Amino acid sequence: MKSFVVIGLGRFGTAVAEELYALGHEVLAIDRKEGCAQRVSEIVTHTIIADAKDESVLQSIGVRNFDGVIICMTDIEDSVMIALMLKDMGAKYIIAKSQSKQHSRMLELIGVNRVVFPEQDMGVRLAQTISSRRALDFIELSPEYAIVELPLPNVWQNKTLAEIGARKQFGINVLAVRRGEKEIHVSPQAEFLLKHRDVLIVVGKNQNIRK
């Protein structure tokens, strides 16, 4: 179990806090709005109704004792100010939500460990998914590489992975095969036999996946 502080309980912050707690971690959630704090009070370990821009608030919870702090503020000035204070207090690992490239650059200069663009990332994922006639889901690893879910092509039915030669023919690797709602085969071997309605989870260069 790890411990995290989540600052800002909008939709993104609430989702992060809830999922971390569901995964078995200790979560302290902070928001200056009483309604936001109360909304998550039953799905996290602790909640505090306070303004995280107040240095005494961050000092009182001992941020350096937590494994990570996630800044989910929408206001750029508030986000940068809190990041500065967290760095000064010796927070171990800081993640911050960014609103723009300029905001991201400021956070990186401060020394934030990881900057995320939830809306942009989701937009890229959606665009990539709907632009393909076959892709069921898309996760961008970098501008060149991605992990994609693909329904099994008809010509690959009843063939083994060795027979289809995905790596040799297309330059992609099959990470897993999903069969039905509950069955998934991770790192399938060369002799794994593919069946009708299987879903392939593959990784590779975007151009190879499109091919």
Side-chain angles (χ1 to χ4, degrees):
M1 182 180 71
K2 294 184 177 181
S3 57
F4 298 93
V5 178
V6 177
I7 301 173
L9 299 173
R11 286 180 296 178
F12 177 69
T14 298
V16 171
E18 183 176 6
E19 187 65 16
L20 284 172
Y21 184 72
L23 291 170
H25 301 299
E26 180 183 348
V27 179
L28 171 62
I30 304 175
D31 199 288
R32 61 186 176 85
K33 296 179 181 179
E34 183 177 355
C36 292
Q38 288 181 342
R39 188 175 64 243
V40 303
S41 61
E42 295 184 0
I43 58 174
V44 298
T45 314
H46 303 289
T47 56
I48 296 178
I49 304 169
D51 189 345
K53 298 194 305 295
D54 185 340
E55 189 174 354
S56 63
V57 171
L58 298 178
Q59 288 177 335
S60 67
I61 64 175
V63 291
R64 69 174 60 193
N65 298 319
F66 288 82
D67 293 294
V69 183
I70 303 99
I71 305 170
C72 306
M73 311 290 288
T74 55
D75 185 278
I76 294 177
E77 185 178 343
D78 290 352
S79 170
V80 171
M81 184 184 301
I82 291 169
L84 279 168
M85 290 190 291
L86 289 171
K87 287 295 294 184
D88 190 53
M89 293 178 191
K92 295 177 184 177
Y93 195 84
I94 305 172
I95 301 171
K97 173 185 175 181
S98 176
Q99 301 293 334
S100 64
K101 290 184 178 180
Q102 184 180 15
H103 185 197
S104 175
R105 181 60 178 157
M106 287 188 285
L107 292 169
E108 290 170 351
L109 288 172
I110 291 169
V112 168
N113 301 92
R114 182 176 179 183
V115 178
V116 296
F117 296 83
E119 288 84 4
Q120 178 179 315
D121 293 345
M122 192 62 224
V124 170
R125 186 172 177 177
L126 176 61
Q128 290 282 357
T129 301
I130 63 177
S131 69
S132 170
R133 291 178 299 171
R134 297 189 61 83
L136 302 176
D137 202 357
F138 173 95
I139 301 174
E140 184 180 41
L141 299 178
S142 75
E144 290 187 1
Y145 290 87
I147 296 175
V148 180
E149 279 193 350
L150 298 168
L152 184 71
N154 291 333
V155 295
W156 287 2
Q157 290 180 22
N158 301 315
K159 292 184 178 180
T160 65
L161 289 175
E163 288 174 326
I164 66 173
R167 181 185 297 178
K168 183 177 181 180
Q169 186 175 0
F170 297 102
I172 60 175
N173 291 308
V174 179
L175 299 177
V177 178
R178 182 157 52 83
R179 182 167 290 166
E181 294 295 325
K182 298 181 180 179
E183 189 177 348
I184 185 164
H185 301 269
V186 180
S187 298
Q189 300 300 307
E191 63 273 13
F192 185 88
L193 183 65
L194 298 167
K195 297 182 179 180
H196 179 56
R197 293 186 178 178
D198 278 352
V199 173
L200 304 179
I201 302 170
V202 305
V203 62
K205 285 188 174 182
N206 294 329
Q207 62 186 26
N208 291 340
I209 292 173
R210 285 193 294 267
K211 181 181 177 182

